[in-house]
Amino acid sequence: MIREQIEEKLRTAFTPVHLEVHDESYRHNVPAGSESHFKVVLVSDHFINQRFLMRHRAIYSELAEELAGSVHALALHTYTVKEWEGLQDTVPASPNCRGAGTLA
């Protein structure tokens, strides 16, 4: 449910040519069924002439409600269409979380 909210907000705000929202909560030390850790790959020409910090701030602004609630972590990979060309298979993998899978 939260993943879908994130997708909808990002599609509306950034009109992406490519968008992936992955719920990576299962990789972290959270109760089963939690929706708290997400990875976003967002490709949009809204990012032209913007440094990564400004891109991330724009996304945080759009997702302020989710970040103030249950979303604990948001890994962002933001690209313009030109930057994205040839990168589809090289988006960095998320690191392992310390203590992942230790919560019963």
Side-chain angles (χ1 to χ4, degrees):
M1 181 164 103
I2 293 173
R3 184 185 63 78
E4 290 84 4
Q5 288 175 322
I6 291 171
E7 280 185 8
E8 182 179 332
K9 286 186 175 186
L10 295 179
R11 283 191 195 287
T12 300
F14 299 100
T15 319
V17 297
H18 181 83
L19 175 62
E20 298 174 35
V21 179
H22 301 278
D23 182 352
E24 295 186 332
S25 303
Y26 70 94
R27 300 182 65 192
H28 298 271
N29 192 15
V30 297
S34 294
E35 291 183 284
S36 59
H37 293 68
F38 293 89
K39 175 180 174 177
V40 172
V41 179
L42 179 57
V43 181
S44 173
D45 276 340
H46 283 264
F47 298 139
I48 291 175
N49 296 321
Q50 285 189 358
R51 293 181 181 215
F52 288 110
L53 181 60
M54 294 306 296
R55 298 173 188 191
H56 292 193
R57 284 181 178 163
I59 292 169
Y60 295 150
S61 177
E62 290 298 325
L63 301 178
E65 182 180 330
E66 290 78 8
L67 291 167
S70 64
V71 175
H72 172 73
L74 191 62
L76 300 175
H77 303 280
T78 57
Y79 306 96
T80 65
V81 173
K82 186 175 181 179
E83 292 167 343
W84 180 245
E85 292 173 2
L87 289 180
Q88 291 89 343
D89 295 326
T90 59
V91 173
S94 298
N96 290 326
C97 176
R98 280 192 251 171
T102 61
L103 193 65

